[in-house]
Structures are given as C-alpha cells and as structure tokens.
C-alpha cells in the first residue's frame, strides 16, 4: 500500500543495451521525488565468455563503465545515490548450466570465476558511486551448496528469488518505512461503508 513495483527485467540483456534504454524507462519527467528506490541488476549476461557467447559478452572494464554511466544518468535526473541499489550477478553453478547448454547444442559459455570478477567490479562501482550494493554472488556462496538457488545453474529458482527478495527487503525497509500508506490496513476499513475509508 506504499509503492508500485515497476519491473523492467528484460531477458538476455546486458549493461551495453541497458545503458541505452534506461533514459526511456526513467525520464526527467518521471519525478525523482516519487521514486523510493531503483535497483540495477546486471552481470550474468555481460560475463558470458566472449569466444563462446559474443552476442551477450561485455568486457569487464566496459561493464563497470556502463554501471557507472547508469548511476550517473539516474543522478542527472535527480535520483540520489541513497535510492540506488546495485545487485551483483548471482554465482554460476557450472555443471548444471553446462547440461542446459549441451541440451541446446552449445558448449558451457560461462564460468563462476569470471562471474565473480564481474561481481567484484559491481561492488567497486557501488563504492565509487556511493550507492548501496547487494553482493548476491558472495552471499549465495556462503551456503556452500548454492545450487538450490538456481533453476538451471544460471537463472534464479523460486528459492533464489526468495533469497534475493529477503536480502533486498533489508535494504528497502528503512527507505520505505517513512512513506505514508496510500490505502488503509484492511482492519481499518469500515466494512459497513467502505467508500468512507477508500474513496
């Protein structure tokens, strides 16, 4: 009852493409004062191995520069650094992802070590830009067998999405706690005359 959640997750995109479309998604007229938080969650596609997946691969230095560029754009439309949360790519479970690749007639086109370099770059960009960061790559691997967080070795499973939501909520909760509720709690609605409570 406090916020609308606008999801602009676009399958297969990388930071090179996201940087280009961000000004279409959040414009100057969007109204920075109406935005509680913006998350930027890229790296799983950028970190694809160049020789095996050149369409999605983005070199590490360019990935970092693209993240910085997106943060700078958001700041240019008056979205302050404290409202921006960068999210690293999750870890890659190579054996499961290799099975998925082989089923499509492809070779394993990513590595967890490479994804980790992109995660570290994301953490560094957040530090340099003064934004919050959710280091999913590190957090998920604290549980030594992180495979249950991934549906196919790459994409988040229901458990992985729940883990991400819980980690993200701890960063969003204090940003949202001061916001007023736009609609009353259900117990506070006058059930004999709901119009009085809701209109």
């Amino acid at each position: 009852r406090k916020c609308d959640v606008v999801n602009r997750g676009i399958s297969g995109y990388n930071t090179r493409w996201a940087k280009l479309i961000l000004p279409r998604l959040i414009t100057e007229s969007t109204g920075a004062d109406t935005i509680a938080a913006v998350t930027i969650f890229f790296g799983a596609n950028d970190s694809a191995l160049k020789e095996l997946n050149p369409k999605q691969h983005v070199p590490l230095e360019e990935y970092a520069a693209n993240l910085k560029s997106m943060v700078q754009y958001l700041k240019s439309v008056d979205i302050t650094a404290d409202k921006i949360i960068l999210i690293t790519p999750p870890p890659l479970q190579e054996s499961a992802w290799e099975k998925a690749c082989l089923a499509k007639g492809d070779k394993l086109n990513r590595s967890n070590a490479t994804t980790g370099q992109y995660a570290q770059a994301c953490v560094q960009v957040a530090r340099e830009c003064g934004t919050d960061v959710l280091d999913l790559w590190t957090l998920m691997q604290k549980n030594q067998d992180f495979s249950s967080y991934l549906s196919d070795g790459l994409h988040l499973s229901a458990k992985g999405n729940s883990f991400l939501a819980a980690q993200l909520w701890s960063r969003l909760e204090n940003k949202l706690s001061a916001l007023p509720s736009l609609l009353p709690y259900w117990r506070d609605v006058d059930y004999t005359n709901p119009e009085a409570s809701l209109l």
Side-chain angles (χ1 to χ4, degrees), residues 31-68:
D33 55 327
T34 66
I35 294 176
V38 176
T39 60
I40 300 175
F41 183 14
F42 286 95
N45 293 321
D46 298 71
S47 64
L49 303 175
K50 182 180 181 180
E51 59 279 7
L52 293 168
N53 189 348
K55 284 184 178 179
Q56 291 177 303
H57 170 79
V58 172
L60 185 60
E61 299 73 24
E62 184 188 342
Y63 167 74
N66 290 341
L67 287 178
K68 272 185 202 167

Side-chain angles (χ1 to χ4, degrees), residues 93 140-141 143-149:
Q93 215 287 321
M140 282 188 165
Q141 289 183 93
N143 170 3
Q144 290 204 312
D145 179 19
F146 60 88
S147 60
S148 63
Y149 291 137

Side-chain angles (χ1 to χ4, degrees), residues 80-98:
T80 53
D82 63 310
K83 291 184 175 184
I84 302 168
I85 303 169
L86 299 184
I87 305 173
T88 73
L92 179 78
Q93 215 287 321
E94 292 179 18
S95 60
W97 183 241
E98 186 171 27

